[in-house]
């Protein structure tokens, strides 16, 4: 009975990946103005927190200028992060199913790259947005990092294959 329950629940291990894919799709559905506004807001909050931590007492105008300077890198870092999380959410279940090593890189990597391509295609239909090969490369880099984390983490916790000498 226990094996049957595990067998039935295993497919649910992909549920977090579907949730992350929905979140990515939702972000991609934002217009260019909405997306830019969100990036600026996050950049501004980052600068405000840094200002408080470093006790710099920056003026409002200076914070806005710094936020504009870091907005693009923050946006690209967000791309990498969301695809690293997607790769984690895909790689762990695949690992549970026994996909390891190069095959894990291949399956999870191809899935994430394919999703990045379809996501960029989707953006071509959103006002003020457009597809970008550069974003697919950035997304793929994030996915690669996520897959590497799973490979390293799972390799470290896997039981040793060395036999014990008596």
């Amino acid at each position: 009975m226990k094996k049957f329950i595990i067998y039935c629940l295993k497919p649910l291990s992909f549920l977090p990946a579907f949730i992350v894919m929905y979140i990515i799709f939702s972000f991609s559905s934002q217009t260019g103005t909405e997306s830019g506004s969100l990036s600026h807001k996050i950049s501004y909050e980052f600068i405000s927190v840094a200002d408080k931590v470093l006790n710099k007492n920056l003026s409002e105008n200076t914070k806005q200028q710094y936020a504009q300077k870091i907005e693009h890198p923050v946006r690209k870092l967000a791309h990498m992060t969301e695809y690293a999380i997607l790769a984690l959410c895909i790689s762990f279940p695949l690992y549970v199913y026994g996909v390891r090593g190069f095959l894990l890189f291949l399956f999870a990597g191809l899935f994430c790259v394919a999703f990045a391509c379809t996501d960029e295609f989707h953006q071509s239909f959103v006002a003020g947005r457009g597809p970008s090969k550069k974003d697919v490369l950035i997304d793929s880099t994030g996915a690669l990092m996520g897959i590497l984390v799973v490979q390293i983490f799972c390799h470290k916790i896997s039981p040793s294959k060395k036999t014990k000498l008596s």
Side-chain angles (χ1 to χ4, degrees):
M1 183 66 171
K2 182 179 176 183
K3 283 187 178 187
F4 177 74
I5 292 171
I6 291 172
Y7 178 78
C8 290
L9 291 178
K10 252 184 169 181
L12 292 178
S13 63
F14 286 100
L15 188 59
F18 288 120
I19 292 169
V20 171
M21 290 166 60
Y22 174 77
I23 291 169
I24 291 171
F25 185 83
S26 296
F27 280 131
S28 295
S29 296
Q30 293 178 331
T31 64
T33 305
E34 292 170 330
S35 179
S37 175
L38 179 61
S39 296
H40 183 76
K41 182 179 177 182
I42 292 169
S43 299
Y44 180 81
E45 289 300 319
F46 179 80
I47 294 299
S48 295
V49 168
D51 180 40
K52 287 179 185 173
V53 169
L54 299 173
N55 201 22
K56 292 288 185 181
N57 298 321
L58 298 174
S59 70
E60 203 57 38
N61 190 37
T62 305
K63 286 190 223 179
Q64 290 289 348
Q65 289 173 348
Y66 281 130
Q68 285 178 338
K69 286 181 182 180
I70 68 166
E71 188 175 328
H72 185 73
V74 164
R75 185 183 202 91
K76 298 311 171 187
L77 186 60
H79 270 268
M80 286 181 72
T81 303
E82 63 190 11
Y83 276 87
I85 293 168
L86 176 61
L88 287 168
C89 292
I90 290 170
S91 297
F92 273 124
L94 286 175
Y95 196 89
V96 169
Y97 275 99
V99 179
R100 294 185 169 75
F102 178 73
L103 285 178
L104 182 64
F105 274 105
L106 185 67
F107 291 151
L110 285 176
F111 183 86
C112 289
V113 170
F115 188 74
C117 290
T118 60
D119 184 50
E120 290 301 317
F121 178 70
H122 163 245
Q123 286 183 30
S124 67
F125 298 103
V126 178
R129 304 286 295 266
S132 168
K133 292 177 186 175
K134 186 178 177 182
D135 282 350
V136 172
L137 181 63
I138 290 167
D139 298 342
S140 301
T141 302
L144 174 66
M145 289 181 197
I147 297 167
L148 278 171
V149 167
V150 170
Q151 289 277 35
I152 292 167
F153 178 77
C154 290
H155 180 72
K156 295 277 186 199
I157 64 168
S158 293
S160 177
K161 295 187 185 204
K162 296 177 185 175
T163 56
K164 200 174 186 182
L165 296 175
S166 301

